Amino acid sequence: MKYDFNKNFFELFGFQPAFKLDLNQLDQIYRDIQSQVHPDKFAHLGDAERRLSMQWATLTNEAYQTLKKPINRARYLLNLHQVDTQEETNTAMPAAFLMEQMELREAVMDAKMAHDINALEQTESSLKAEIKSLHGVLEKQLDVEADYPGAAQNVRKLRFLEKLISEINDAYETMDS
């Protein structure tokens, strides 16, 4: 077992750094690597080999989780280009986007209060379509245009949208109980 821990997550899986990624291929490579480095396979070896397999398995898991989720993959790509998404410090967003988020949040709250599953599903469907559209924009910004500041802003937008999806899921759970 030999691994260069200086490789980035894309290199670990044999990919070129890009937002567009074949997730089926990622899954297959992840399973292949895990089958080679799973710590149980090294239980009979010395401490150094067991520790190395644990580090490799942990790194592989972290890389897989990062590349599997589009928002995390975009953040990681931006980080490779030394661009901070400033999600915690930069809340400046276009006014139209913020207004839309307020209206969507109110729609979720109203649907939750009214136990209106259809309204929640409709809002969720709309949000998922917007998220998918933003993924397409991110692919173009990151893989074609190298528009990293624009991509960072869209990562911040995705964070808003994914937070709303989480609130909808919480509302479903509340309504089920």
Side-chain angles (χ1 to χ4, degrees):
M1 177 173 64
K2 187 171 184 169
Y3 177 72
D4 178 1
F5 285 95
N6 292 318
K7 287 182 175 179
N8 70 44
F9 291 169
F10 291 97
E11 292 168 339
L12 174 65
F13 290 97
F15 294 115
Q16 291 295 315
F19 184 76
K20 185 176 183 180
L21 199 61
D22 182 336
L23 295 178
N24 291 327
Q25 188 178 10
L26 175 67
D27 288 342
Q28 183 60 50
I29 295 170
Y30 171 73
R31 285 192 298 272
D32 290 348
I33 293 173
Q34 284 296 355
S35 73
Q36 295 171 28
V37 300
H38 195 280
D40 289 348
K41 289 190 160 208
F42 297 87
H44 64 287
L45 297 177
D47 287 345
E49 290 88 358
R50 287 194 316 251
R51 190 173 32 257
L52 187 59
S53 76
M54 181 67 77
Q55 288 173 336
W56 196 3
T58 300
L59 180 70
T60 303
N61 280 333
E62 182 184 353
Y64 176 72
Q65 292 303 321
T66 298
L67 298 183
K68 181 178 161 186
K69 296 177 184 170
I71 191 169
N72 292 342
R73 187 169 57 245
R75 283 182 187 122
Y76 186 74
L77 274 168
L78 288 166
N79 190 40
L80 289 177
H81 292 284
Q82 286 86 40
V83 175
D84 181 358
T85 58
Q86 301 177 331
E87 294 169 65
E88 302 299 327
T89 57
N90 184 351
T91 57
M93 301 294 278
F97 177 79
L98 291 175
M99 183 61 76
E100 180 185 6
Q101 296 311 298
M102 287 175 45
E103 290 171 2
L104 286 167
R105 187 155 275 116
E106 286 176 16
V108 169
M109 291 299 292
D110 290 346
K112 181 179 173 183
M113 297 295 282
H115 294 272
D116 187 346
I117 288 181
N118 290 333
L120 281 175
E121 289 173 342
Q122 188 175 11
T123 303
E124 181 182 23
S125 177
S126 172
L127 283 169
K128 285 183 176 178
E130 192 169 344
I131 287 170
K132 186 176 180 180
S133 174
L134 268 177
H135 289 169
V137 172
L138 275 171
E139 181 181 325
K140 188 175 178 186
Q141 289 174 318
L142 291 167
D143 296 350
V144 179
E145 299 171 343
D147 177 8
Y148 304 127
Q153 182 173 23
N154 281 323
V155 166
R156 290 192 298 273
K157 283 183 178 178
L158 273 176
R159 187 172 174 191
F160 274 90
L161 299 176
E162 290 189 355
K163 198 171 189 176
L164 264 174
I165 291 283
S166 177
E167 289 178 22
I168 289 172
N169 290 331
D170 290 346
Y172 286 138
E173 288 180 20
T174 301
M175 294 166 81
D176 285 343
S177 60

